[in-house]
Amino acid sequence: MVSDSSSDHSHVAPPRRVALLTLGCARNEVDSEELAGRLHADGWDVTTDGEAADVVLVNTCGFVEKAKQDSIQTLMAAADTGAKVVAAGCMAERYGRELAGSLPEAHAVLGFDDYPEISERLGAVLNGERLAAHTPRDRRELLPITPVARRDTGVVVPGHALPKHLRRRRLAEGPVASLKLASGCDRRCSFCAIPSFRGSFVSRTPEELLAEAEWLAKNGVRELVLVSENSTSYGKDLGDPRLLEKLLPQLAAIEGIVRVRASYLQPAETRPGLVEVIATTPGVAPYFDLSFQHSSEPVLRRMRRFGSTERFLELLASARALAADAGARSNFIVGFPGETRGDVDELVRFLTEARLDAIGVFDYSDEDGTEAATMTGKVSRATIKRRYEKLLSLADELCAQRAEERLGSTVEVLVDTIDDGVVEGRAAHQAPEVDGSTTLVAGDGVDLAALRPGDLVRATVTATEGVDLVAVPVTMVSAAVTGVSGPVTG
């Protein structure tokens, strides 16, 4: 009997499908795109839709209590789809076996050391194998104390030194992408547990960053957002603590890139030279994302941080002396142990004088393994709640006032989205997702109907809505390249 050879292909297995769900910060988003690149290279069909996946990989956040709860809820919701569920990311790294024990819905809990073999790990889960849950450890102990001795140690650092044949795989459309400068942190802020599970500070080399930035630009990215736990430390382990000042103009000169934005600046390490480069370099957003956390000296000392209301105001003034319209944002913690009404008054004084474009307010809560969790002088939850609500209300009012100061000014807006004729973008002082946006409306200069995501236009601010601006485009500064969009891989 002659067999029908056409049937030989009927049993070819469809590609395994993995959904990557990302929680937390932009650094996690970059890590997810690294994982996506590895999985795609190994033949997985990578998506962000958990409904039709064989495996749902949740890149969790372990920063504060609310973020941890969001991670748990996402894991439980993923289990309801019937897919295998795997936890990775910061919460998984931080809690490991404890998370696995309390969340039987997760088929595996992986740590950062599993990332290079992520395809094998997920394949094993699909095959019904039970993997031993990650065992947490203080990742600071994995690297030498001396920063310059941390190169080529073989320690896994997410987002660093991918094999030459691999690139991250973009999981979102749009003209903006984060570029990870470094991982980890050497500071010992008393409220923060991040260094214990992210490890000591490690920079990526300029060559690696420039190559990835060029690849992103070729795939339609127009704005690079530089992320890390502490961008002002960039280069100290490479023997040059001023390396960021040299890297920023190089990134801005890449063909197709119209804006480079530095984020996560540590005030105590923000040198005058870096302020000047950010404020005056063409193509670099005059934008200062400064991690103040408080402005009262006694509170800052207990936080193991440096600064004061006056020093912080001087730093902002030095930036505005070079770029009058420079953007500035920061986050603040209220209710830290030992915080008094006088400390709150001092913070209010700073916020009132600082003219920040965006203000994040967090209510203090104890974090496992931090020095602050063991401090005396705890502020009652009722008092923290009252102070938090006061500061939040003040922040909203002050940021709206700052936006109103921009009425009549000229801003350069990068178009992000166009939805039912509504054109949304961001001015140089508006970082993605956290600082508000600018809506472009019709005028005499530029045809709104001709605009596309990725276009950079010069516009006049005509109205404000809270922190958001409304502006009329006047001229096209740089048009987006046609035919490049969507998730891509190198």
Side-chain angles (χ1 to χ4, degrees), residues 91 230 248:
M91 188 177 181
N230 178 7
L248 283 166

Side-chain angles (χ1 to χ4, degrees), residues 214-332:
E214 289 173 359
W215 172 80
L216 288 167
K218 289 174 182 175
N219 286 296
V221 170
R222 303 275 279 160
E223 176 176 333
L224 298 171
V225 182
L226 309 185
V227 300
S228 70
E229 274 75 25
N230 178 7
S231 296
T232 38
S233 282
Y234 177 71
K236 72 175 187 178
D237 53 325
L238 301 176
D240 186 354
R242 298 184 184 274
L243 201 52
L244 183 57
E245 298 170 30
K246 302 170 184 176
L247 179 67
L248 283 166
Q250 293 177 288
L251 291 170
I254 292 173
E255 184 178 357
I257 298 299
V258 295
R259 181 184 288 163
V260 179
R261 183 185 303 278
S263 61
Y264 303 104
L265 305 176
Q266 176 63 237
E269 298 177 22
T270 304
R271 303 178 182 87
L274 179 59
V275 172
E276 182 176 359
V277 167
I278 292 175
T280 64
T281 303
V284 175
Y287 172 83
F288 293 85
D289 174 19
L290 293 157
S291 175
F292 290 131
Q293 303 299 349
H294 213 285
S295 73
S296 169
E297 285 190 82
V299 175
L300 287 167
R301 282 198 296 271
R302 284 193 295 277
M303 289 180 169
R304 298 202 178 279
R305 297 175 67 84
F306 304 94
S308 66
T309 293
E310 302 309 330
R311 288 172 66 179
F312 292 163
L313 290 174
E314 289 169 5
L315 176 56
L316 291 168
S318 70
R320 289 168 177 152
L322 295 166
D325 292 332
R329 83 170 322 273
S330 192
N331 294 322
F332 300 88

Side-chain angles (χ1 to χ4, degrees), residues 410-476:
T410 299
V411 293
E412 289 193 351
V413 178
L414 181 72
V415 177
D416 281 332
T417 61
I418 301 173
D419 188 10
D420 290 334
V422 178
V423 182
E424 289 282 342
R426 289 170 299 99
H429 70 279
Q430 296 171 321
E433 299 182 6
V434 293
D435 295 341
S437 63
T438 299
T439 302
L440 295 177
V441 295
D444 297 330
V446 175
D447 180 9
L448 283 186
L451 290 176
R452 293 163 299 160
D455 286 341
L456 183 70
V457 299
R458 191 166 291 119
T460 302
V461 180
T462 57
T464 66
E465 299 172 3
V467 297
D468 299 325
L469 305 182
V470 178
V472 174
V474 178
T475 57
M476 177 73 75

Side-chain angles (χ1 to χ4, degrees), residues 70-81:
D70 288 345
S71 294
I72 290 171
Q73 290 170 8
T74 302
L75 286 161
M76 295 178 70
D80 291 339
T81 66

Side-chain angles (χ1 to χ4, degrees), residues 65-186:
E65 190 59 36
K66 183 181 184 303
K68 289 183 276 191
Q69 290 301 321
D70 288 345
S71 294
I72 290 171
Q73 290 170 8
T74 302
L75 286 161
M76 295 178 70
D80 291 339
T81 66
K84 302 282 189 179
V85 178
V86 176
C90 290
M91 188 177 181
E93 176 67 38
R94 184 177 181 185
Y95 293 104
R97 289 182 296 181
E98 181 184 342
L99 177 62
S102 62
L103 198 69
E105 291 87 352
H107 294 82
V109 175
L110 305 180
F112 296 148
D113 292 336
D114 292 301
Y115 283 19
E117 288 81 39
I118 189 65
S119 180
E120 296 171 32
R121 300 291 186 270
L122 297 192
V125 169
L126 262 189
N127 290 335
E129 298 178 32
R130 297 297 295 185
L131 304 181
H134 162 68
T135 301
R137 54 184 170 172
D138 190 332
R139 293 192 75 84
R140 291 172 293 193
E141 298 174 358
L142 302 181
L143 291 166
I145 293 175
T146 306
V148 293
R150 294 174 188 165
R151 313 307 305 174
D152 304 319
T153 59
V155 174
V156 175
V157 182
H160 289 236
L162 284 173
K164 293 294 185 185
H165 68 285
L166 283 182
R167 287 274 185 219
R168 55 193 269 197
R169 181 173 175 80
R170 294 198 68 199
L171 294 171
E173 297 183 7
V176 185
S178 295
L179 183 65
K180 181 183 277 192
L181 284 175
S183 286
C185 185
D186 288 342

